[in-house]
Amino acid sequence: MNELFFCPCASDKTYARCCQLWHDGAAAPNAEALMRSRYSAYVLGWQTYLLETWHPSTRPISLEVDQRNSPKWLGLEIKRHQQTGPATALVEFVARYREGGGSAQRLHEISRFVQENGRWYYLGGTFR
């Protein structure tokens, strides 16, 4: 991805100065940064990254992100990032997407994250 393109996570930064850092292996500094990088990974179809950033206690065995049949992701809005403990956090977000030629839809989730050994991991979420 070119330095000139904005990051898919809607941070108003270029991809190279945003989610690419975490995709390339650096530890995300907080749960919101990890959430943004996971959204960008869905947009880009990077299932390996999604599995690596999913906590082993809740991680699925596999994850199919088929770019040809997956939704077209239209945008991300972070509603809230809340540190809930020394190594736990919540991120509430709304992701907009379109499937096929249908109308835009919203995925509203409150996601739970945990930090272990200096890295944040997605635990799971509750849909709103």
Side-chain angles (χ1 to χ4, degrees):
M1 205 175 261
N2 188 306
E3 167 73 22
L4 301 175
F5 290 105
F6 283 105
C7 193
C9 79
S11 66
D12 290 332
K13 297 178 188 174
T14 62
Y15 174 71
R17 297 191 186 280
C18 192
C19 290
Q20 183 177 359
L21 300 169
W22 325 133
H23 291 163
D24 286 349
N30 57 47
E32 180 180 344
L34 182 64
M35 172 60 233
R36 288 181 176 281
S37 73
R38 287 178 54 82
Y39 172 84
S40 292
Y42 273 105
V43 171
L44 299 168
W46 293 349
Q47 49 206 13
T48 300
Y49 180 80
L50 292 166
L51 288 170
E52 288 172 352
T53 57
W54 208 314
H55 193 269
S57 68
T58 58
R59 179 187 304 146
I61 293 170
S62 65
L63 184 64
E64 294 300 320
V65 180
D66 179 358
Q67 285 295 92
R68 292 165 295 168
N69 297 319
S70 68
K72 176 171 176 42
W73 296 99
L74 304 173
L76 175 68
E77 177 188 356
I78 302 294
K79 300 278 216 181
R80 168 175 58 124
H81 171 220
Q82 177 183 353
Q83 196 75 29
T84 57
T88 58
L90 295 175
V91 177
E92 181 177 2
F93 70 91
V94 174
R96 293 179 300 108
Y97 66 96
R98 182 183 328 271
E99 290 185 297
S103 60
Q105 298 181 46
R106 296 167 31 108
L107 171 70
H108 187 173
E109 181 177 317
I110 298 176
S111 299
R112 296 175 293 116
F113 294 85
V114 65
Q115 186 181 40
E116 291 181 355
N117 301 318
R119 291 204 171 262
W120 284 96
Y121 294 93
Y122 173 75
L123 280 171
T126 306
F127 295 113
R128 304 277 310 202

